[in-house]
Amino acid sequence: MELSSEIMYQASFEKNPEFEGVFWMGVKTTGIFCRPTCTARKPKPENVEFFDNTKDAILKGYRPCKVCKPLENPDETPIEIQKIMDELSVNPEIKFKDIDLVERGLQPVTVKRWFLKHHGMTFHAFQRMFKINSAFKKLQQGENVLDVALDNGYESLSGFNESFKSIIGTSPKNSKMEKIVDLKRIETPLGTMIACATENGICMLEFSDRKSLSKELEDISKYFKATIVQGENPHFKTLETELAEYFDGKRLDFTVPLAPVGTDFQKNVWEILRMIPYGTTRSYQQQADILGNPKAVRAVANANGLNKISIIIPCHRVIGTNGTLTGYGGGIWRKQKLLELEKAILF
């Protein structure tokens, strides 16, 4: 997917967000480099040059722009907030008050805005959800309701009951038949991803800016007849470790268990996807041939598009018959970066 300087300049002039992560623009007159969406005044075309990664821009002597901060992932979890979330993961019973945030150098209103933007709830609501997730699992294991309430920092049983019912939809004593799906944000070199897991395995791994994300979460909730709740899951630890190794070029295959959501046909297509070796690509036609139904190219393409477990079920390894990069839910630029990482295709 070759991009001309004219196309990149126009994208930068229009501040087109679809080109985020595709290129960076160096400004010769100021010695800085920017992301395509930078709001700073645009220089003349003859005064710019383009890079497909930040490393090359820095090696050329350019400094990162202070306006658009090209070295930062705009959706990435800030370090101090990540530390708090890590502590909650280890001990959900912890309760962070505003004074605790201030002591860590964080402004409560800033933390509130970040959680509202990225989680759709305030930080205190997020904490409550995390606690209820932990409490739910303890109740499923047969622990006493009162003990669980006290262990999670609730001073009264009525307060615990009210909070539990608002999230799970039923009271603690009636929760034995209920189910939850755990959800967690995971940071990667290509952006923030949202992971979901059941006790059987990972059921979703998508980039947080995917347009159909809310619909996919709704489908997962209906499929498992479960409430999706922020919280930890043993499979998340394996997933994070293996993803880090993959992006470091040290892992070719994933072993983390999966619990894909889809029809039998879709699951068959996804199994064929998992058979595509690291560093290679296939066409939709080849997928249909392997499936034993050469005429099912369109159905195969649709199933690929409905895959909710990115990277591990590698739909990025499927390209057009003529070698072109076809659609990808996480964005064509990410598909290109993944294939470059795997050395499957270079531009």
Side-chain angles (χ1 to χ4, degrees):
M1 189 178 68
E2 287 288 349
L3 291 176
S4 66
S5 295
E6 289 76 15
I7 291 175
M8 289 188 283
Y9 184 81
Q10 188 63 28
S12 180
F13 186 81
E14 295 172 352
K15 304 179 184 65
N16 191 332
E18 293 184 8
F19 287 82
E20 276 289 343
V22 178
F23 71 83
W24 288 262
M25 182 176 74
V27 184
K28 299 174 184 177
T29 51
T30 60
I32 66 168
F33 71 98
C34 307
R35 60 174 78 243
T37 54
C38 186
T39 57
R41 183 180 174 187
K42 299 300 178 187
K44 295 178 179 179
E46 61 267 25
N47 292 329
V48 302
E49 60 180 321
F50 299 96
F51 303 92
D52 60 8
N53 60 70
T54 57
K55 179 182 177 182
D56 289 344
I58 293 170
L59 289 175
K60 196 76 180 286
Y62 287 98
R63 305 182 310 278
C65 172
K66 291 183 178 179
V67 176
C68 65
K69 301 175 181 176
L71 295 180
E72 296 181 10
N73 173 0
D75 290 325
E76 189 172 11
T77 306
I79 294 174
E80 290 306 317
I81 290 181
Q82 186 62 57
K83 287 180 181 177
I84 289 173
M85 292 172 73
D86 289 342
E87 288 182 49
L88 281 172
S89 296
V90 175
N91 184 7
E93 287 77 33
I94 296 175
K95 183 176 182 180
F96 290 99
K97 299 180 180 178
D98 284 352
I99 187 66
D100 300 317
L101 299 178
V102 172
E103 288 175 355
R104 290 167 179 254
L106 292 166
Q107 290 298 321
V109 67
T110 302
V111 174
K112 178 182 178 180
R113 286 189 190 128
W114 188 88
F115 273 88
L116 282 170
K117 179 180 179 181
H118 296 283
H119 290 281
M121 67 186 80
T122 65
F123 173 55
H124 295 303
F126 177 89
Q127 287 191 89
R128 282 196 298 275
M129 186 169 279
F130 222 85
K131 289 180 190 298
I132 295 303
N133 184 311
S134 173
F136 178 90
K137 289 170 182 171
K138 288 179 179 178
L139 292 171
Q140 293 284 305
Q141 293 165 5
E143 292 193 29
N144 177 274
V145 174
L146 180 59
D147 290 342
V148 171
L150 295 175
D151 287 344
N152 278 271
Y154 286 89
E155 296 177 357
S156 71
L157 197 54
S158 60
F160 174 63
N161 285 340
E162 185 180 336
S163 187
F164 191 96
K165 191 171 184 178
S166 69
I167 293 172
I168 304 299
T170 188
S171 65
K173 68 176 183 179
N174 295 327
S175 66
K176 266 293 185 187
M177 301 303 292
E178 298 298 319
K179 296 179 182 178
I180 64 170
V181 172
D182 302 303
L183 180 149
K184 184 176 185 178
R185 284 170 58 94
I186 296 176
E187 306 298 346
T188 79
L190 292 185
T192 304
M193 301 191 80
I194 303 297
C196 286
T198 66
E199 59 184 13
N200 296 320
I202 302 298
C203 57
M204 190 181 87
L205 180 65
E206 289 283 28
F207 288 100
S208 62
D209 55 4
R210 177 158 181 160
K211 293 178 181 178
S212 63
L213 187 63
S214 60
K215 175 66 167 59
E216 292 187 7
L217 290 169
E218 186 180 314
D219 290 343
I220 288 170
S221 179
K222 287 180 180 177
Y223 185 88
F224 291 111
K225 295 182 176 61
T227 304
I228 297 176
V229 185
Q230 305 272 354
E232 276 303 321
N233 184 296
H235 299 303
F236 288 154
K237 189 172 182 61
T238 305
L239 174 63
E240 289 179 285
T241 298
E242 294 192 350
L243 271 178
E245 292 170 350
Y246 168 80
F247 280 109
D248 283 342
K250 298 174 182 176
R251 174 168 289 279
L252 309 186
D253 297 298
F254 290 87
T255 65
V256 62
L258 303 183
V261 171
T263 64
D264 289 342
F265 174 80
Q266 290 165 351
K267 290 177 182 178
N268 286 337
V269 172
W270 299 336
E271 278 302 310
I272 291 171
L273 277 174
R274 297 198 76 187
M275 290 163 55
I276 304 176
Y278 181 99
T280 64
T281 59
R282 280 192 191 141
S283 67
Y284 293 112
Q285 183 62 65
Q286 287 174 312
Q287 267 190 287
D289 292 343
I290 294 170
L291 190 65
N293 191 348
K295 294 183 179 179
V297 177
R298 187 182 292 268
V300 165
N302 287 337
N304 280 8
L306 293 172
N307 169 33
K308 298 176 180 63
I309 307 177
S310 299
I311 300 177
I312 302 174
I313 297 179
C315 50
H316 63 275
R317 293 178 191 159
V318 179
I319 60 177
T321 306
N322 60 357
T324 57
L325 294 185
T326 50
Y328 184 63
I332 291 292
W333 73 272
R334 284 196 178 106
K335 184 169 187 169
Q336 179 175 328
K337 295 291 185 184
L338 290 169
L339 292 176
E340 287 176 354
L341 170 70
E342 298 176 5
K343 297 181 173 57
I345 189 166
L346 297 174
F347 295 89

